[in-house]
Amino acid sequence: MSTLTLEVEPAAVDMHIDHSKLTIDLADGRVLSVPLDWYPRLSHATTEERANWQMLGNGYAIEWPDLDEHVGIEGLLAGRRSGESERSLQKWLLTRPASSE
């Protein structure tokens, strides 16, 4: 088992979402993109829900309160996808309006 050791805590300064990817601008100048389907709630979200986001702390994570979704920057760098179970996702999807994008 390997352990990710970071010299500096990664911090996000901005975020962009398009139809296929989540892109994070980091404070050190790097840009990180991951497939949007790594985060099913974001993938199923409306444009308005995706637009309602906020940085947590000093950019250690991004939160979408309407979706109850939190993405940690350190986890992204480690290649971690959403840990939500399929059962939990299906239960959440049942609460969604039929007109979701």
Side-chain angles (χ1 to χ4, degrees):
M1 179 177 166
S2 66
T3 302
L4 178 64
T5 304
L6 303 170
E7 292 185 20
V8 177
E9 290 294 318
V13 293
D14 203 1
M15 182 281 312
H16 313 276
I17 295 179
D18 66 24
H19 67 280
S20 66
K21 66 183 178 268
L22 169 64
T23 302
I24 309 292
D25 297 330
L26 300 178
D28 64 8
R30 289 180 289 171
V31 177
L32 178 63
S33 290
V34 297
L36 194 57
D37 64 3
W38 278 25
Y39 297 94
R41 288 188 183 209
L42 290 175
S43 184
H44 289 283
T46 65
T47 302
E48 292 78 22
E49 289 169 329
R50 289 179 188 167
N52 183 24
W53 62 277
Q54 61 189 18
M55 291 287 175
L56 298 180
N58 291 325
Y60 76 90
I62 301 170
E63 172 187 46
W64 288 264
D66 297 338
L67 304 170
D68 193 24
E69 181 70 79
H70 305 82
V71 175
I73 305 309
E74 189 173 316
L76 278 175
L77 287 168
R80 287 188 216 116
R81 300 170 181 236
S82 171
E84 184 167 24
S85 71
E86 184 62 27
R87 182 177 180 188
S88 174
L89 176 62
Q90 292 304 317
K91 185 177 177 181
W92 178 77
L93 286 171
L94 288 174
T95 69
R96 308 281 296 152
S99 62
S100 291
E101 291 178 1

